[in-house]
Amino acid sequence: MSMSRRTVLAVAAVAAGATTTATAVSPAQAATASGTGTQDPASAVRALRAAADYAVEKLRAVAPGVSAFPVGTKFEKWTFSQNGDWVGGFWPGTLWMAYLHSGDEAFRTLALDSALKLAPRRQDTSTHDLGFLFYPSWVTAWRLTGDDSWRAGALEAADSLIRRYNPRGRFIRAWGALNDPNNAGRVIMDTIMNLDLLAFASRESGNEKYLHVAVEHARTAGRVFPREDGSTPHVFDFDPGTGAPIGPNTVQGYSPSSCWSRGQAWGIYGFTTMYRRTGCQEFLSTARKLADFAVGALGSDHVPVWDYRAPQQPYDVKDASAGAVMACGLLDLSAATGRHDYREVALRILTALSETCLTRNSTRAEAIVARCTRNRPAEDGIEISLPYADYYLLEGILRVLRPQDVDRAVDLSTVSGADRPGRSRAGR
């Protein structure tokens, strides 16, 4: 009898049991335990600036020859999707970050040309990833240019996204066409990062229907995903007809009881964003719970393993993209809570990625960040480069070096008496 790789992994996860469980600790406790102490701010800034400069030079060399959307590397060269797959927004987003850091108008032109190629996806109702596709591309284009066609296109994409909302279970389904019964009740952690497109749509249109869907999905995710210790599964399944919960599962994690590091990072960033857009304390509490677990699970090198509960962690393959996303979320969380220790860990992650995960040692490499893992259980994309790693590393670095510029691009504001839905910040 033969067993699938998924079955083998699941059986091994049960056998591993408690020996692979990371314990949630505070960021300050994690820093003390690793003996790292306080990081030299000047040294960190130098490392981050050097990494951003390297990224700009790499993009100057590679970007003019790119006519589609990078999805990952093979033998250090980008492979491409013509329609963007789910990652299409990150290439123009990366070009926008390079433009903000360098002031080079060539990056602005390339970013706009690339974003325009996503136009047919505005009416795509077959994916939850419209936030990934349109926020770093079209929303950022509108915010930096003031051209209302970008804003209008992003609103169209938000209209497509809310059609995936299941009111019985109060969730946005992740995968599959609207008329496809397969995966109709499947919710994944990644979706929390697509909700900011809906918050944007309510803010700009004055119609609260978009934010209502975002809040209801986030409340559902906050109820079913976090475990008591703050870890999360990748997937949670519902009965699509009744909305009744079925239970946790996974696709890209080690097992339903493990903790896929990039999913955990999506959660940290996404729940913090939902707090900023709504002021709802429950979202901030969830973000802190997820962050404390992830910080406690980090190894001394501050580059996440692909799954915090895989049996070979902390010596398993790394996922630098999880680190880049996590760092952005921790910087956000530090600002939202006033907790400097979250910022300290974020700086350590960004410095580690800048010093140990860039492609500096290869003349062949077309990407910026190496040591990424796309889908370990499927043996798909292990130790490669991924476009979202490049994007979030640059976003994280510029959050430190040029926070006002990043705010111009993606809106780092928090809802308050002076910053409510409907407020326009285009072309600032």
Side-chain angles (χ1 to χ4, degrees), residues 8-41:
V8 171
L9 289 173
V11 171
V14 174
T19 63
T20 63
T21 301
T23 302
V25 298
S26 73
Q29 288 172 320
T32 301
S34 63
T36 54
T38 302
Q39 187 176 32
D40 174 21

Side-chain angles (χ1 to χ4, degrees), residues 223-235:
R223 186 177 69 251
V224 303
F225 275 95
R227 305 183 183 107
E228 186 175 347
D229 65 356
S231 65
T232 60
H234 176 209
V235 173

